[in-house]
């Protein structure tokens, strides 16, 4: 079912993201059909600082077909969703995913070409059909004027959200000694496998680090963490710990509270989103490598085969992101060396600046009297196109 609602930006990531425009652009947010895409889309929409309308589309069973055929069409969405797409047409649409591409291109066509399209991730259509693509290294997109190559994904982790989470979760962690090491655990993804062997090894390494420092662990699993791996992990933790088992334990997910309350972080290598959010905290970060453990699964082996022999469009290569993260001094592999305090990274600021430029708007950071100068992220090594 489709819904449309008008929303003001709820996050206040930094003073430079607040809009001082006398007449802000009309913005539509066409939400992604995967959670990680929705997080990125909403993160950018919030950071722009303009009011926006959320368009949550309902898809038909064959919704993939118009995208695969690169059509300009609303045939893949249900009639209720189509009814929500009416004038006045927006100045800007933010979206992601192949299934949404035909719809946002249809919106642009109905606007007479006025609407600007910002796509997050990797597009299926040719770049000329979009106005700006904001992407990350694992997609191996080429260098182009209409492609912004960021280091990490966009998100809603910022100083304000961390402050709120810290206040909310401080009491839950009070009895645990410091330093507190946050352990954020993903699961099976592409070529990465988090089986019992890897989970137990991660648990032992994290516990050893906490024991050596006289501290404790703050652990959270995710929706992708297999139950057997959760058991293997928790079974080897022999230091003071707060452990949240996603889908098993009752209560609110402490994920953001752990990012805010930990003194350093360990994150599994399968999720660019979790690693990007960890970097945003400014805490020392170690990556637990899931590419080589003793656990195997058929889907992971098939994905590795595609990475070696298939078209790049069919896979992601997260090793490019890991390499960029480590080379920029923002993380280390767990067990190789002490993690550094990462230098600032302002991917969301870079994205805001490019979107404003796309709409012909001056950026506050360009005004020396605004006090809103931004740190621009580093140049990134690029994979093959």
């Amino acid at each position: 079912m489709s819904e449309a609602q008008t929303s003001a930006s709820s996050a206040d990531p930094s003073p430079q993201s607040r809009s001082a425009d006398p007449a802000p652009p009309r913005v539509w947010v066409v939400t992604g059909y995967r959670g990680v895409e929705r997080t990125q889309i909403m993160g950018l929409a919030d950071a722009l600082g303009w009011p926006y309308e959320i368009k949550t589309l309902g898809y038909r069973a064959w919704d993939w077909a118009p995208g695969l055929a690169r059509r300009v069409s609303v045939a893949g969405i249900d009639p209720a969703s189509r009814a929500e797409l009416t004038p006045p047409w927006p100045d800007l649409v933010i979206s992601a995913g192949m299934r949404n591409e035909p719809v946002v291109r249809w919106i642009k066509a109905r606007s007479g070409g006025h609407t600007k399209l910002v796509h997050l991730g990797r597009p299926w259509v040719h770049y000329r059909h979009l106005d700006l693509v904001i992407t990350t290294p694992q997609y191996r997109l080429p260098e182009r004027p209409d492609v912004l190559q960021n280091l990490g994904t966009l998100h809603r982790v910022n100083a304000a959200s961390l402050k709120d989470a810290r206040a909310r979760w401080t009491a839950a962690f009070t009895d645990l000694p410091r330093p507190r090491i946050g352990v954020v655990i993903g699961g099976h993804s592409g070529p990465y496998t988090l089986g019992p062997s890897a989970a137990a090894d991660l648990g032992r390494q994290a516990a050893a680090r906490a024991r050596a420092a006289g501290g404790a662990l703050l652990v959270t699993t995710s929706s992708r963490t297999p139950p057997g791996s959760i058991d293997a992990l928790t079974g080897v933790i022999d230091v003071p710990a707060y452990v949240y088992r996603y889908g098993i334990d009752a209560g609110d997910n402490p994920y953001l509270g752990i990012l805010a309350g930990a003194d350093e972080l360990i994150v599994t290598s399968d999720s660019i989103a979790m690693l990007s959010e960890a970097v945003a905290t400014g805490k020392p970060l170690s990556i637990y490598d899931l590419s080589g453990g003793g656990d195997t699964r058929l889907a992971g082996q098939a994905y590795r085969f595609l990475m070696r022999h298939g078209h790049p469009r069919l896979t992601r290569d997260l090793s490019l992101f890991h390499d960029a993260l480590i080379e920029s001094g923002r993380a280390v592999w767990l067990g190789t060396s002490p993690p550094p305090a990462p230098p600032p990274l302002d991917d969301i600021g870079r994205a805001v600046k490019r979107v404003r430029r796309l709409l012909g708007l001056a950026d506050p950071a360009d005004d020396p009297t605004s006090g809103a100068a931004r740190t621009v992220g580093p140049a990134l090594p690029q994979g093959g196109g």
Side-chain angles (χ1 to χ4, degrees):
M1 184 67 181
S2 172
E3 63 175 323
Q5 68 185 73
T6 301
S7 173
S9 173
S10 58
D12 188 12
S14 55
Q16 65 266 27
S17 69
R18 300 190 192 109
S19 171
D21 304 302
R26 181 182 297 273
V27 180
W28 285 6
V29 170
V30 178
T31 58
Y33 39 87
R34 291 183 288 261
V36 66
E37 292 171 343
R38 288 193 295 272
T39 298
Q40 294 187 59
I41 292 168
M42 300 306 296
L44 177 56
D46 284 345
L48 285 167
W50 301 319
Y52 55 84
E53 295 181 52
I54 300 174
K55 305 293 184 181
T56 304
L57 304 181
Y59 303 95
R60 296 182 174 183
W62 39 272
D63 56 9
W64 51 271
L68 188 64
R70 300 174 173 86
R71 306 296 294 174
V72 178
S73 173
V74 290
I77 61 175
D78 60 31
S81 298
R82 166 63 184 89
E84 297 288 352
L85 306 179
T86 57
W89 302 112
D91 302 297
L92 172 69
V93 171
I94 306 170
S95 189
M98 183 183 75
R99 287 190 283 182
N100 287 338
E101 288 178 6
V103 179
V104 300
R105 292 177 64 200
W106 181 90
I107 294 168
K108 184 180 181 75
R110 289 301 181 277
S111 76
H114 169 77
T115 300
K116 301 296 185 182
L117 304 181
V118 173
H119 181 95
L120 307 185
R122 174 174 52 193
W124 183 260
V125 297
H126 192 274
Y127 303 95
R128 68 176 178 272
H129 298 301
L130 305 166
D131 296 288
L132 176 64
V133 174
I134 301 175
T135 192
T136 43
Q138 82 270 21
Y139 291 122
R140 298 162 288 188
L141 299 190
E143 288 285 357
R144 293 176 53 95
D146 50 3
V147 174
L148 174 62
Q149 303 273 3
N150 269 345
L151 174 54
T153 60
L154 306 181
H155 50 74
R156 304 171 95 172
V157 175
N158 52 63
S161 63
L162 290 172
K163 180 180 178 180
D164 290 345
R166 191 177 299 111
R168 183 179 179 191
W169 286 96
T170 293
F173 308 147
T174 296
D175 294 335
L176 294 173
R178 305 195 87 123
R180 297 170 187 152
I181 302 171
V183 184
V184 180
I185 304 162
H188 301 334
S189 177
Y192 300 103
T193 299
L194 179 60
S197 176
D201 179 62
L202 170 58
R204 283 189 290 267
Q205 289 198 52
R209 174 167 287 185
R211 188 182 310 109
L217 299 179
L218 307 178
V219 181
T220 182
T221 64
S222 73
S223 60
R224 293 184 291 105
T225 312
S229 300
I230 296 176
D231 293 339
L233 173 85
T234 57
V236 300
I237 293 177
D238 56 1
V239 295
Y242 177 101
V243 179
Y244 180 82
R245 300 171 298 173
Y246 187 97
I248 300 174
D249 295 334
D252 294 338
N253 189 334
Y255 172 72
L256 196 56
I258 288 174
L259 293 186
D263 298 296
E264 66 175 271
L265 295 165
I266 299 171
V267 181
T268 54
S269 62
D270 56 288
S271 173
I272 184 175
M274 294 192 309
L275 286 165
S276 299
E277 289 168 348
V279 170
T281 68
K283 312 287 180 65
L285 171 62
S286 298
I287 308 171
Y288 181 77
D289 188 4
L290 289 175
S291 65
D295 304 298
T296 60
R297 61 190 175 95
L298 183 59
Q301 293 173 327
Y303 198 96
R304 290 181 185 278
F305 179 85
L306 280 175
M307 289 180 66
R308 288 193 298 269
H309 305 290
H311 192 281
R313 181 185 291 276
L314 301 177
T315 60
R316 304 175 302 154
D317 187 355
L318 263 65
S319 69
L320 298 173
F321 167 68
H322 299 146
D323 292 345
L325 204 62
I326 291 169
E327 290 170 8
S328 69
R330 293 181 168 87
V332 296
W333 292 112
L334 180 61
T336 58
S337 59
L345 177 65
D346 192 19
D347 279 340
I348 194 74
R350 298 180 76 216
V352 166
K353 189 169 186 175
R354 285 294 295 274
V355 172
R356 292 182 62 88
R357 187 187 308 166
L358 178 67
L359 297 180
L361 299 173
D363 190 88
D366 296 330
D367 180 0
T369 67
S370 70
R374 285 199 192 92
T375 300
V376 177
L380 302 177
Q382 302 302 323

